[in-house]
């Protein structure tokens, strides 16, 4: 079972981020993040989603047993995924075909 606070710490340390930097990147306050550790509280789902966005991972990647499997996306990759999620099936298939032919 994944310990949420340990996973946040692990992902933060891999990036050499302080709690302050995580707060900056996630849009949460440092006091919020610090209080999770002091009070051994779990972040809310919306807060965890902000944390995952800061790390460039999905919620499902966050909960992978092997943290090495968590893939970080670049801004361009995230933008491509966000744009492709708005396409209908035909448009999505056309995009895939186009990309495969590049």
């Amino acid at each position: 079972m994944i310990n949420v606070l340990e996973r946040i710490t692990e992902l933060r340390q891999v990036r050499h981020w302080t709690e302050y930097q995580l707060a900056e990147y996630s849009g949460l306050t440092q006091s919020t993040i610090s209080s999770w550790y002091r009070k051994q509280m779990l972040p809310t789902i919306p807060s965890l989603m902000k944390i995952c966005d800061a790390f460039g991972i999905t919620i499902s990647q966050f909960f992978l047993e092997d943290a090495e499997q968590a893939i970080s996306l670049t801004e361009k990759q995230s933008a491509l995924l966000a744009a492709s999620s708005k396409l209908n099936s035909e448009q999505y298939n056309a995009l895939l075909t186009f990309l495969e032919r590049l």
Side-chain angles (χ1 to χ4, degrees):
M1 178 107 172
I2 299 296
N3 179 310
V4 172
L5 297 177
E6 286 179 10
R7 179 57 59 93
I8 292 171
T9 300
E10 179 182 318
L11 291 168
R12 186 175 52 78
Q13 290 174 342
V14 164
R15 290 161 177 77
H16 305 287
W17 291 358
T18 63
E19 282 184 15
Y20 177 79
Q21 288 171 306
L22 177 57
E24 287 289 309
Y25 298 137
S26 67
L28 299 167
T29 64
Q30 185 177 5
S31 62
T32 296
I33 295 170
S34 295
S35 71
W36 298 335
Y37 291 98
R38 280 193 324 274
K39 299 176 184 178
Q40 288 297 297
M41 295 173 48
L42 294 177
T44 63
I45 296 297
S47 293
L48 187 57
M49 290 174 70
K50 288 180 180 184
I51 295 289
C52 289
D53 286 344
F55 289 138
I57 61 174
T58 64
I59 293 277
S60 60
Q61 289 170 320
F62 180 88
F63 286 103
L64 288 173
E65 288 292 329
D66 182 2
E68 295 298 318
Q69 293 177 347
I71 299 168
S72 295
L73 300 177
T74 65
E75 279 188 45
K76 288 181 180 181
Q77 290 169 326
S78 293
L80 181 60
L81 286 175
S84 70
S85 70
K86 297 174 185 173
L87 302 175
N88 66 35
S89 180
E90 184 179 326
Q91 292 168 326
Y92 185 81
N93 288 333
L95 176 62
L96 286 179
T97 301
F98 172 76
L99 292 173
E100 288 170 357
R101 291 183 181 170
L102 284 178

